[in-house]
Amino acid sequence: MIVSVKEFPNVRLVNHPLIRQKLTLCRSKQTTNQTFRLLLNEITALMVYELASDYPTRRVEIETPLQKTTGDELATDVILVPILRAGLGMTHEVMQLIPRARVGHLGLYRDETTLLPIKYYSKLPPNLADSEVIVIDPMLATGGSLSAAVTLLKKAGARRIKLLCLVAAPEGIRRMLNDHPEIPVFTAAIDEKLNPRGFILPGLGDAGDRLFGTA
Ligand code: PRP
């Protein structure tokens, strides 16, 4: 179920008992890297189900073993843009559900002192302008990375963009609301705040580290 949040009109809070339970396990420091990856996949599937609910479809003719009939197929191209590294942890699952999706990669890391995003890689597929674009990053902290990613994608022609996050801080949501108010932010949780080092509280730590065991 999608819940609106009065204070943040750009947020689409995906609220479901299964997601809340899995996210709770993701947050626990006792959860292993392997289990964290599995849980993130499961949550991603549940969230994409909601995110894609307004995607257009067209009628197609098919033949069952018994007779001809009509069915539906997606009538739009979909481009996924994971923000390296942590966005990779959700991307495979989205591709399982939308197999024809193409993937553009954006490498951004946050400078630990300034907290500003530094771009180190960009490889985007063509036809951004005519595609539904899903920007994927489990963590929305200051919002610097996702705001820069959306600015870059708009410059490259993207017109229909949605963000897929796992946990969002109020500071980052406000930043997105200010910089890109029309872009919906799908998240499973709105956390309390950032700590002085720009980490989300209570959060779940560094998603990239937990996915890839680099902590
Ligand atoms: C983390 C996270 C986001 C970003 C969020 O990545 O995955 O991309 O920080 O912070 P922001 O909203 O303040 O920009 P990080 O820079 O740690 O890189 P990593 O994914 O390679 O670990």
mmCIF file of all heavy atoms in Angstrom, residues 83-86 108-110 115 120 137-146 198 206-209, ligand 1:
data_model
loop_
_atom_site.group_PDB
_atom_site.id
_atom_site.type_symbol
_atom_site.label_atom_id
_atom_site.label_comp_id
_atom_site.label_asym_id
_atom_site.label_seq_id
_atom_site.Cartn_x
_atom_site.Cartn_y
_atom_site.Cartn_z
ATOM 1 N N ILE A 83 22.650 3.682 -8.634
ATOM 2 C CA ILE A 83 23.781 4.503 -8.206
ATOM 3 C C ILE A 83 24.786 3.556 -7.544
ATOM 4 O O ILE A 83 24.457 2.887 -6.550
ATOM 5 C CB ILE A 83 23.341 5.597 -7.196
ATOM 6 C CG1 ILE A 83 22.147 6.399 -7.743
ATOM 7 C CG2 ILE A 83 24.513 6.511 -6.857
ATOM 8 C CD1 ILE A 83 22.394 7.132 -9.025
ATOM 9 N N LEU A 84 25.981 3.501 -8.113
ATOM 10 C CA LEU A 84 27.025 2.624 -7.562
ATOM 11 C C LEU A 84 27.484 3.186 -6.215
ATOM 12 O O LEU A 84 27.588 4.405 -6.083
ATOM 13 C CB LEU A 84 28.195 2.527 -8.536
ATOM 14 C CG LEU A 84 27.840 2.162 -9.987
ATOM 15 C CD1 LEU A 84 29.107 2.069 -10.820
ATOM 16 C CD2 LEU A 84 27.049 0.870 -10.055
ATOM 17 N N ARG A 85 27.712 2.255 -5.322
ATOM 18 C CA ARG A 85 27.582 0.814 -5.455
ATOM 19 C C ARG A 85 26.223 0.282 -4.993
ATOM 20 O O ARG A 85 25.734 -0.706 -5.514
ATOM 21 C CB ARG A 85 28.621 0.126 -4.533
ATOM 22 C CG ARG A 85 30.057 0.293 -4.870
ATOM 23 C CD ARG A 85 30.913 -0.285 -3.783
ATOM 24 N NE ARG A 85 30.621 0.347 -2.492
ATOM 25 C CZ ARG A 85 30.971 -0.194 -1.313
ATOM 26 N NH1 ARG A 85 31.585 -1.356 -1.275
ATOM 27 N NH2 ARG A 85 30.728 0.443 -0.190
ATOM 28 N N ALA A 86 25.662 0.909 -3.952
ATOM 29 C CA ALA A 86 24.563 0.251 -3.242
ATOM 30 C C ALA A 86 23.340 0.007 -4.124
ATOM 31 O O ALA A 86 22.590 -0.951 -3.899
ATOM 32 C CB ALA A 86 24.189 1.060 -2.003
ATOM 33 N N LEU A 108 28.677 7.290 -8.271
ATOM 34 C CA LEU A 108 28.772 8.491 -7.425
ATOM 35 C C LEU A 108 29.205 8.029 -6.043
ATOM 36 O O LEU A 108 28.660 7.059 -5.526
ATOM 37 C CB LEU A 108 27.413 9.186 -7.282
ATOM 38 C CG LEU A 108 26.757 9.793 -8.512
ATOM 39 C CD1 LEU A 108 25.341 10.242 -8.159
ATOM 40 C CD2 LEU A 108 27.544 10.976 -9.010
ATOM 41 N N TYR A 109 30.175 8.673 -5.475
ATOM 42 C CA TYR A 109 30.431 8.400 -4.067
ATOM 43 C C TYR A 109 30.423 9.720 -3.317
ATOM 44 O O TYR A 109 30.620 10.790 -3.893
ATOM 45 C CB TYR A 109 31.754 7.650 -3.847
ATOM 46 C CG TYR A 109 32.994 8.482 -4.040
ATOM 47 C CD1 TYR A 109 33.556 9.189 -2.976
ATOM 48 C CD2 TYR A 109 33.600 8.566 -5.279
ATOM 49 C CE1 TYR A 109 34.692 9.962 -3.150
ATOM 50 C CE2 TYR A 109 34.735 9.338 -5.467
ATOM 51 C CZ TYR A 109 35.278 10.033 -4.402
ATOM 52 O OH TYR A 109 36.378 10.808 -4.580
ATOM 53 N N ARG A 110 30.171 9.612 -2.023
ATOM 54 C CA ARG A 110 30.043 10.806 -1.203
ATOM 55 C C ARG A 110 31.367 11.082 -0.526
ATOM 56 O O ARG A 110 31.878 10.226 0.194
ATOM 57 C CB ARG A 110 28.938 10.537 -0.171
ATOM 58 C CG ARG A 110 28.272 11.755 0.337
ATOM 59 C CD ARG A 110 27.073 11.358 1.145
ATOM 60 N NE ARG A 110 27.416 10.574 2.321
ATOM 61 C CZ ARG A 110 26.689 10.539 3.416
ATOM 62 N NH1 ARG A 110 25.565 11.231 3.480
ATOM 63 N NH2 ARG A 110 27.040 9.819 4.445
ATOM 64 N N LEU A 115 30.739 15.675 2.250
ATOM 65 C CA LEU A 115 29.474 14.970 1.990
ATOM 66 C C LEU A 115 28.922 15.264 0.596
ATOM 67 O O LEU A 115 27.774 14.929 0.287
ATOM 68 C CB LEU A 115 28.409 15.290 3.059
ATOM 69 C CG LEU A 115 28.723 14.911 4.500
ATOM 70 C CD1 LEU A 115 27.528 15.197 5.410
ATOM 71 C CD2 LEU A 115 29.106 13.447 4.635
ATOM 72 N N TYR A 120 32.196 9.380 -10.720
ATOM 73 C CA TYR A 120 33.372 8.697 -11.260
ATOM 74 C C TYR A 120 33.041 7.774 -12.412
ATOM 75 O O TYR A 120 33.920 7.215 -13.044
ATOM 76 C CB TYR A 120 34.129 7.937 -10.162
ATOM 77 C CG TYR A 120 33.322 6.854 -9.475
ATOM 78 C CD1 TYR A 120 33.327 5.540 -9.941
ATOM 79 C CD2 TYR A 120 32.553 7.144 -8.353
ATOM 80 C CE1 TYR A 120 32.603 4.547 -9.310
ATOM 81 C CE2 TYR A 120 31.817 6.157 -7.717
ATOM 82 C CZ TYR A 120 31.842 4.866 -8.194
ATOM 83 O OH TYR A 120 31.108 3.885 -7.576
ATOM 84 N N ASP A 137 18.712 3.638 -5.438
ATOM 85 C CA ASP A 137 19.722 3.768 -4.379
ATOM 86 C C ASP A 137 19.020 3.530 -3.057
ATOM 87 O O ASP A 137 18.070 4.247 -2.726
ATOM 88 C CB ASP A 137 20.341 5.177 -4.398
ATOM 89 C CG ASP A 137 21.595 5.262 -3.522
ATOM 90 O OD1 ASP A 137 21.694 4.487 -2.546
ATOM 91 O OD2 ASP A 137 22.460 6.103 -3.812
ATOM 92 N N PRO A 138 19.441 2.516 -2.295
ATOM 93 C CA PRO A 138 18.714 2.240 -1.055
ATOM 94 C C PRO A 138 18.749 3.367 -0.030
ATOM 95 O O PRO A 138 17.876 3.440 0.817
ATOM 96 C CB PRO A 138 19.393 0.972 -0.503
ATOM 97 C CG PRO A 138 20.604 0.753 -1.306
ATOM 98 C CD PRO A 138 20.485 1.537 -2.576
ATOM 99 N N MET A 139 19.783 4.239 -0.108
ATOM 100 C CA MET A 139 19.942 5.253 0.937
ATOM 101 C C MET A 139 19.765 6.669 0.386
ATOM 102 O O MET A 139 20.488 7.076 -0.526
ATOM 103 C CB MET A 139 21.350 5.179 1.545
ATOM 104 C CG MET A 139 21.787 3.790 1.976
ATOM 105 S SD MET A 139 20.718 3.029 3.194
ATOM 106 C CE MET A 139 21.178 3.940 4.635
ATOM 107 N N LEU A 140 18.817 7.411 0.948
ATOM 108 C CA LEU A 140 18.682 8.837 0.655
ATOM 109 C C LEU A 140 19.055 9.575 1.940
ATOM 110 O O LEU A 140 18.265 9.623 2.886
ATOM 111 C CB LEU A 140 17.243 9.152 0.231
ATOM 112 C CG LEU A 140 16.875 10.615 -0.012
ATOM 113 C CD1 LEU A 140 17.725 11.247 -1.094
ATOM 114 C CD2 LEU A 140 15.398 10.736 -0.383
ATOM 115 N N ALA A 141 20.280 10.090 1.992
ATOM 116 C CA ALA A 141 20.765 10.709 3.239
ATOM 117 C C ALA A 141 20.666 12.233 3.125
ATOM 118 O O ALA A 141 19.610 12.805 3.375
ATOM 119 C CB ALA A 141 22.185 10.235 3.536
ATOM 120 N N THR A 142 21.743 12.913 2.690
ATOM 121 C CA THR A 142 21.618 14.362 2.474
ATOM 122 C C THR A 142 20.835 14.653 1.197
ATOM 123 O O THR A 142 20.354 15.762 0.994
ATOM 124 C CB THR A 142 22.998 15.032 2.316
ATOM 125 O OG1 THR A 142 23.614 14.561 1.111
ATOM 126 C CG2 THR A 142 23.907 14.752 3.496
ATOM 127 N N GLY A 143 20.765 13.653 0.314
ATOM 128 C CA GLY A 143 20.104 13.848 -0.975
ATOM 129 C C GLY A 143 21.046 14.359 -2.049
ATOM 130 O O GLY A 143 20.642 14.497 -3.202
ATOM 131 N N GLY A 144 22.292 14.619 -1.680
ATOM 132 C CA GLY A 144 23.238 15.143 -2.663
ATOM 133 C C GLY A 144 23.430 14.206 -3.852
ATOM 134 O O GLY A 144 23.425 14.636 -5.007
ATOM 135 N N SER A 145 23.573 12.904 -3.564
ATOM 136 C CA SER A 145 23.826 11.939 -4.649
ATOM 137 C C SER A 145 22.621 11.825 -5.576
ATOM 138 O O SER A 145 22.756 11.901 -6.806
ATOM 139 C CB SER A 145 24.162 10.557 -4.071
ATOM 140 O OG SER A 145 25.270 10.627 -3.215
ATOM 141 N N LEU A 146 21.444 11.641 -5.002
ATOM 142 C CA LEU A 146 20.268 11.443 -5.859
ATOM 143 C C LEU A 146 19.880 12.720 -6.588
ATOM 144 O O LEU A 146 19.439 12.671 -7.733
ATOM 145 C CB LEU A 146 19.106 10.882 -5.040
ATOM 146 C CG LEU A 146 19.193 9.357 -4.874
ATOM 147 C CD1 LEU A 146 18.136 8.842 -3.896
ATOM 148 C CD2 LEU A 146 19.028 8.662 -6.220
ATOM 149 N N GLY A 198 26.566 12.541 8.556
ATOM 150 C CA GLY A 198 25.694 12.341 7.407
ATOM 151 C C GLY A 198 25.163 10.928 7.283
ATOM 152 O O GLY A 198 24.663 10.527 6.227
ATOM 153 N N ASP A 206 25.990 1.444 6.390
ATOM 154 C CA ASP A 206 26.311 1.760 4.995
ATOM 155 C C ASP A 206 25.847 0.587 4.127
ATOM 156 O O ASP A 206 26.380 -0.524 4.226
ATOM 157 C CB ASP A 206 27.838 1.968 4.860
ATOM 158 C CG ASP A 206 28.225 2.385 3.445
ATOM 159 O OD1 ASP A 206 27.864 1.654 2.476
ATOM 160 O OD2 ASP A 206 28.865 3.427 3.304
ATOM 161 N N ALA A 207 24.829 0.856 3.300
ATOM 162 C CA ALA A 207 24.231 -0.242 2.530
ATOM 163 C C ALA A 207 25.260 -0.909 1.615
ATOM 164 O O ALA A 207 25.260 -2.133 1.461
ATOM 165 C CB ALA A 207 23.049 0.281 1.718
ATOM 166 N N GLY A 208 26.136 -0.098 1.009
ATOM 167 C CA GLY A 208 27.165 -0.681 0.129
ATOM 168 C C GLY A 208 28.053 -1.650 0.894
ATOM 169 O O GLY A 208 28.327 -2.765 0.440
ATOM 170 N N ASP A 209 28.479 -1.250 2.074
ATOM 171 C CA ASP A 209 29.325 -2.124 2.900
ATOM 172 C C ASP A 209 28.579 -3.399 3.297
ATOM 173 O O ASP A 209 29.142 -4.493 3.291
ATOM 174 C CB ASP A 209 29.775 -1.392 4.169
ATOM 175 C CG ASP A 209 30.859 -0.354 3.883
ATOM 176 O OD1 ASP A 209 31.490 -0.428 2.805
ATOM 177 O OD2 ASP A 209 31.069 0.531 4.735
HETATM 178 C C1 PRP B 1 25.904 6.110 0.009
HETATM 179 C C2 PRP B 1 24.540 5.660 -0.457
HETATM 180 C C3 PRP B 1 24.102 6.775 -1.366
HETATM 181 C C4 PRP B 1 24.717 7.985 -0.718
HETATM 182 C C5 PRP B 1 23.657 8.687 0.088
HETATM 183 O O1 PRP B 1 26.843 5.802 -0.949
HETATM 184 O O2 PRP B 1 24.515 4.409 -1.102
HETATM 185 O O3 PRP B 1 24.564 6.644 -2.697
HETATM 186 O O4 PRP B 1 25.760 7.518 0.162
HETATM 187 O O5 PRP B 1 24.171 9.861 0.616
HETATM 188 P P1 PRP B 1 23.657 11.293 0.206
HETATM 189 O O6 PRP B 1 22.158 11.228 0.109
HETATM 190 O O7 PRP B 1 24.128 12.142 1.360
HETATM 191 O O8 PRP B 1 24.304 11.687 -1.084
HETATM 192 P P2 PRP B 1 28.412 6.000 -0.696
HETATM 193 O O9 PRP B 1 28.847 7.378 -1.069
HETATM 194 O O10 PRP B 1 28.751 5.533 0.677
HETATM 195 O O11 PRP B 1 29.048 5.037 -1.790
HETATM 196 P P3 PRP B 1 28.983 3.442 -1.882
HETATM 197 O O12 PRP B 1 27.573 3.073 -2.320
HETATM 198 O O13 PRP B 1 29.993 3.129 -2.919
HETATM 199 O O14 PRP B 1 29.302 2.870 -0.513
#
